[in-house]
Amino acid sequence: MALPDEHLPGDQSSRGKLIDALTDPRCLTWLLVAAVALWLRWVFACSAGGLWRDEANSAAIVGGSSLRDLWAGLDLDSFPILWLFCLRYVHVVGGDADFSYRLFGFASSVLSLIALVLIARDTPVRWPVFSTVLLGLSPCVIHWGGSSRAYGWGMLALLAMFWTYWRLIRSPDAKKCAWATLACVAAVQTLYTCAAFVAALAVSAAVVALRQKMTVRRVIMIFAPAAIAAFTYVPYIPVFQRQHAWSALVQHPVGMAWLIHKFASAIAVPSPYVLYIWSILFLAAIVAGLYRLLANRGERSAIDRDFTAFALLAPIIAVVLYFGFLFALRYPTQPWYYLGLMTVGALSIDSLLMPLFDRGMLRYVAPVFAIGYLWAFTLSVQTSVMVRQTNLDLGAASLAQATGPGDLIVLSTWEHGVTFNRYYRGDAPWTTVPPMSSHMAESYVPVKQAMMERDPMQSLFQSCATVLKHGGKVYVIDGVRDGYPRGHATVYPPAPGGPFGWDSQVYIFSWKCQLGLFLYSHAANVKYGRFQSNLPVNGYEDPEVQVFDGWRSDAAHREAGK
């Protein structure tokens, strides 16, 4: 005979906890914010459309026929092998369909929200209201974290590292060390940049452990996850050497002011006020953390002080190490470079502020903030994420209908060739500036080779002349200008003998100006247009199109725009 419900062991306790949670304003607010965040991510997944060049590049690499092809493609992409393995699985199961990649990006967003609440329930945070608002309603996180690139999964791995390292500090044992090691290895094998965050968390954990009884075993447990994660990069040494052969082409002198500006720009979407909110909350979290460490020390448990110290140190050390890494890298960083810092910052804001709002009317502070943030920014965030990642899929379909074998398509931005190669199925031949033999993946090796040639554009000029003389049309995607200054195009000597060394942007701009001057001087007509889209398009891949036709043998200069 079954016992009545009230006599089942532990059932009343579980039911009571559930009722308490569902009546907690922080829980209800978190559920609301998480629902809005998921809805915004779904809006982006449904709006994003085709894969833009970076996504198409990854999809092309994982489409190789063997593991050897996958490993050989490492130096052509920005991510380690674990990420490519996962994407390869999506490629096989989803049949290389665009939306299967979109669902993969959406899955990382769902799991990240789940990870936030799991971390909170295992720490004094309890409910991750601040972090869910700041990360869940960030257009930068939604757009780039939800893309079919590794950034969203890297954020998830970073959350796992934070959680497992904290559990290792709280009660170190071999099992927790193994979980922390697994999280660290997964992180560095998903994103190279996660190495800086692994080091930051290890150092933070070591500093916290100084107040505990330090033994050789404890030291090993703290540093073993980071050390093992670093060791997994040994097989990548040949990959890094191959990348070093062309890295000078994309490196630029960047200062800390530039990096900070780019970081702030990633946060300050959809409004500059968002940057102010982040800044105020982070400074308040630092002050709160210091207060919790220094005031009433005898009234707080050792675990509470350890967690506060860990959450206080992690973002500070991460900022120092990560900005040092970017400064040494010398890449002109983009918004997605800063998702890791945003993740650590949001975690620390929650970890240091939420425990202060755990009693009485203070429990309403975070919900009031969240409701206000939702009211102020949800519609503008929705507008920001309703964007296509590219219009080249539309352009490729349009050009396939409009062109024939006697025409020529030229992509003046060579990186667009990867996207165009994925979608174009027309009869007209096509090429890029500079001309390349393959467009299966983004590679700077052909660009470097072209920079070392004396006249890499001559073959393209001949092809354009042949098409125009025989009544065909030259379609230039992303446009060219009539020289710079107008009517003039500087031709640089082979690199690195020119005045700009290995600066690829200078040579690419020169080649575009040379092509533009040639076409405007020899074509009889030029028309301008854009590929039609029912949504705004990602600014990184929203090219216009110019159509040149006819031939003028006198080579008189044609004014731009006529």
Side-chain angles (χ1 to χ4, degrees), residues 27 37 48 69 76 107 112 145 169 225 313 325 352 361 394 411 417 429 433 488-489 501 510 514 516 544:
C27 171
D69 294 333
L76 300 177
S112 292
I169 297 170
L313 288 169
F325 167 79
L352 299 173
M361 295 300 295
L394 304 176
L411 289 88
V433 177
H488 177 75
S510 169
Q514 292 176 49
E544 60 181 10

Side-chain angles (χ1 to χ4, degrees), residues 140-193:
C140 182
V141 173
I142 297 170
H143 193 154
W144 304 115
S147 68
S148 62
R149 298 282 274 172
Y151 310 116
W153 292 95
M155 292 174 64
L156 179 62
L158 184 51
L159 293 172
M161 280 197 299
F162 185 92
W163 188 14
T164 55
Y165 247 119
W166 161 241
R167 291 172 64 86
L168 181 61
I169 297 170
R170 185 176 60 189
S171 53
D173 59 43
K175 184 177 179 180
K176 292 184 177 64
C177 181
W179 279 111
T181 301
L182 182 62
C184 290
V185 170
V188 300
Q189 291 298 323
T190 301
L191 277 178
Y192 291 118
T193 53

Side-chain angles (χ1 to χ4, degrees), residues 188-437:
V188 300
Q189 291 298 323
T190 301
L191 277 178
Y192 291 118
T193 53
C194 276
F197 297 104
V198 171
L201 291 175
V203 172
S204 302
V207 173
V208 172
L210 286 176
R211 63 169 300 278
Q212 302 171 344
K213 183 180 179 182
M214 291 294 289
T215 63
V216 174
R217 181 173 178 269
R218 186 181 292 269
V219 171
I220 292 175
M221 284 187 176
I222 288 175
F223 286 105
I228 294 173
F231 184 75
T232 63
Y233 276 161
V234 171
Y236 291 83
I237 293 176
V239 176
F240 298 150
Q241 290 173 337
R242 292 197 299 269
Q243 291 176 334
H244 181 71
W246 53 258
S247 61
L249 276 65
V250 295
Q251 289 179 327
H252 297 276
V254 295
M256 283 299 170
W258 165 268
L259 295 175
I260 293 172
H261 169 72
K262 298 292 283 187
F263 182 30
S265 299
I267 294 175
V269 182
S271 166
Y273 292 108
V274 175
L275 177 60
Y276 303 148
I277 293 171
W278 271 82
S279 302
I280 293 171
L281 287 176
F282 187 73
L283 290 175
I286 297 298
V287 172
L290 292 173
Y291 171 79
R292 287 171 61 80
L293 281 178
L294 301 177
N296 302 321
R297 297 181 62 182
E299 298 179 8
R300 302 189 184 281
S301 67
I303 291 179
D304 182 70
R305 292 196 301 273
D306 287 345
F307 181 71
T308 300
F310 182 61
L312 184 62
L313 288 169
I316 297 173
I317 297 175
V319 166
V320 173
L321 292 181
Y322 191 66
F323 273 104
F325 167 79
L326 294 180
F327 185 76
L329 189 65
R330 294 193 298 144
Y331 280 11
T333 58
Q334 306 298 341
W336 51 83
Y337 279 73
Y338 301 98
L339 296 184
L341 279 181
M342 293 171 68
T343 302
V344 174
L347 275 174
S348 294
I349 288 172
D350 254 345
S351 301
L352 299 173
L353 288 183
M354 286 301 292
L356 295 178
F357 308 134
D358 195 38
R359 294 183 179 87
M361 295 300 295
L362 290 176
R363 295 190 305 164
Y364 290 90
V365 172
V368 168
F369 163 78
I371 297 301
Y373 198 102
L374 287 172
W375 177 81
F377 297 115
T378 298
L379 291 180
S380 54
V381 172
Q382 178 189 355
T383 302
S384 298
V385 301
M386 290 182 65
V387 57
R388 286 183 60 90
Q389 287 286 67
T390 182
N391 67 0
L392 279 178
D393 57 333
L394 304 176
S398 174
L399 290 173
Q401 297 293 324
T403 61
D407 299 319
L408 176 65
I409 301 170
V410 181
L411 289 88
S412 65
T413 299
W414 69 269
E415 295 97 329
H416 291 172
V418 179
T419 310
F420 199 73
N421 183 71
R422 178 177 176 84
Y423 294 107
Y424 181 65
R425 298 295 181 268
D427 296 325
W430 65 276
T431 186
T432 57
V433 177
M436 297 179 181
S437 59

